[in-house]
């Protein structure tokens, strides 16, 4: 696994691109330009500042307290329904004062969900001690006690994995295992959308896996990466010779980089857009999947997420014209591996544009949304990914 934490001192740079195509010219802001407004400290008090101008920094307002700061924890603008309550926060505390500061997280009508992690300088991420976190007012307020020193510190809802970190993983795994990196589109802010492909283009079957439609759902990404690493380690074996694999490691780069709770820059939950295809991140992914799946049998369609506890959303095993052998085998394997066993929630709503519903209706493939618990350990998340890969091998690739 190589989920490298972000470089703390990384800063966005301003820039713009002058584009001419088919006789028309325009100035297109690059992703950095559109976030350049956040290059000032949110708050400064007694030589200690609060900043969010780094990749995956949260959406916060800031006020001064006598003994520190108060930060709002804001969701991004939402076009459709009320936003899913996944209040992400990520900010840095910088300064040279030795005294502690108290930081009040004000969730408004939402509630504290992610236990804070902290990273000082070049050290690894560690969980903040319980004694440093005081959750009040039924979760609507959390007061963090933070030692401020001359070492920079980032505090976030989970250890940060930025788009650049994921890109490093993508390029390394492609290089080590001979996978192809496909740039299949651009996000609204102009970030490259990247997938990995493996296996012969004219194979008879295809497997699709994806993650990070929802920015803070990091444990899902850990399971996804463990799944992919286990699969690609066996690609040279004869039983894989007739299968194509398409992996999407970062479906919502703009949401991730802007510290969003849920949506893309279009204010849309991407895992509701698979039928309407109004957002470029999903429209271009759908086009790639359609191209890759043409003439092939889709063996599996896996979408890795995180939620309150580890569980799987799936279709009823009795869904007509679908083969549920793989989902049933995966349920048995996860039941055996975990105590308590993960919930399996059977749901299918034709009108809801989730990836798994789209996979079922488009390819008759029983798509699965595999959710890791917010509090799952890294090893548990990796184990879910590995068990998913092992079960895939048993069902489809065992002679
Ligand atoms: Zn999700």
């Amino acid at each position: 696994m190589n989920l490298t934490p972000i470089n703390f001192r990384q800063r966005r740079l301003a820039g713009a691109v002058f584009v001419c195509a088919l006789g028309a010219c325009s100035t297109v802001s690059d992703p950095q330009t559109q976030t350049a407004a956040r290059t000032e400290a949110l708050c400064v008090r007694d030589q200690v500042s609060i900043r969010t101008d780094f990749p995956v920094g949260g959406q916060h307002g800031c006020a001064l307290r006598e003994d520190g700061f108060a930060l709002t924890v804001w969701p991004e603008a939402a076009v459709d329904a009320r936003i899913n309550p996944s209040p992400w926060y990520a900010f840095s505390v910088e300064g040279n004062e030795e005294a502690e500061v108290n930081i009040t997280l004000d969730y408004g009508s939402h509630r504290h969900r992610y236990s804070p992690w902290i990273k000082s300088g070049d050290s690894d991420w560690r969980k903040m001690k319980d004694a440093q976190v005081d959750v009040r007012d039924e979760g609507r307020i959390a007061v963090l006690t933070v030692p401020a020193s001359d070492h920079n510190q980032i505090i976030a809802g989970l250890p940060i994995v930025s788009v650049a970190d994921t890109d490093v993983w993508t390029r390394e795994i492609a290089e080590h295992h001979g996978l192809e990196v496909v740039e299949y589109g651009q996000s609204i802010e102009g970030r490259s959308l990247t997938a990995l492909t493996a296996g012969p283009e004219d194979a008879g079957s295809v497997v699709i896996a994806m993650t990070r439609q929802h920015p803070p759902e990091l444990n899902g990404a850990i399971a996804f990466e463990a799944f992919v690493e286990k699969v690609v380690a066996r690609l040279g074996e004869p039983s894989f010779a007739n299968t194509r694999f398409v992996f999407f490691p970062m479906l919502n780069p703009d949401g991730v980089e802007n510290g969003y709770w849920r949506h893309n820059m279009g204010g849309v939950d991407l895992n509701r857009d698979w039928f309407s295809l109004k957002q470029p991140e999903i429209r271009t992914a759908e086009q790639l999947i359609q191209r890759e799946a043409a003439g092939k049998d889709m063996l599996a369609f896996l979408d890795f997420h995180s939620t309150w506890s580890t569980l799987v959303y799936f279709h009823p095993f009795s869904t007509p014209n679908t083969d549920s052998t793989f989902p049933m085998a995966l349920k048995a394997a996860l039941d055996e591996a975990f105590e308590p066993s993960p919930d399996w929630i059977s749901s299918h709503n034709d009108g809801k544009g989730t990836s798994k519903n789209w996979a079922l209706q488009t390819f008759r493939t029983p798509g699965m949304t595999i959710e890791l618990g917010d509090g799952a350990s890294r090893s548990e998340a990796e184990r879910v990914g590995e068990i998913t890969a092992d079960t895939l091998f048993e069902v489809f690739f065992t002679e």
Side-chain angles (χ1 to χ4, degrees), residues 208-224:
I208 308 286
M210 59 182 57
T211 195
R212 297 229 55 193
Q213 293 198 74
H214 298 146
E217 298 180 3
L218 185 64
N219 281 336
I222 292 172
F224 165 86

Side-chain angles (χ1 to χ4, degrees), residues 196-210:
L196 287 163
T197 58
E201 286 182 45
D202 60 352
S205 58
V206 63
V207 171
I208 308 286
M210 59 182 57

Side-chain angles (χ1 to χ4, degrees), residues 60 147 219 226 305 310 357 370 373:
H60 303 296
N219 281 336
H305 290 246
T310 299
N357 289 351
I370 299 176

Side-chain angles (χ1 to χ4, degrees), residues 17-28:
V17 182
F18 193 60
V19 176
C20 294
L22 300 174
C25 298
S26 61
T27 303
V28 177

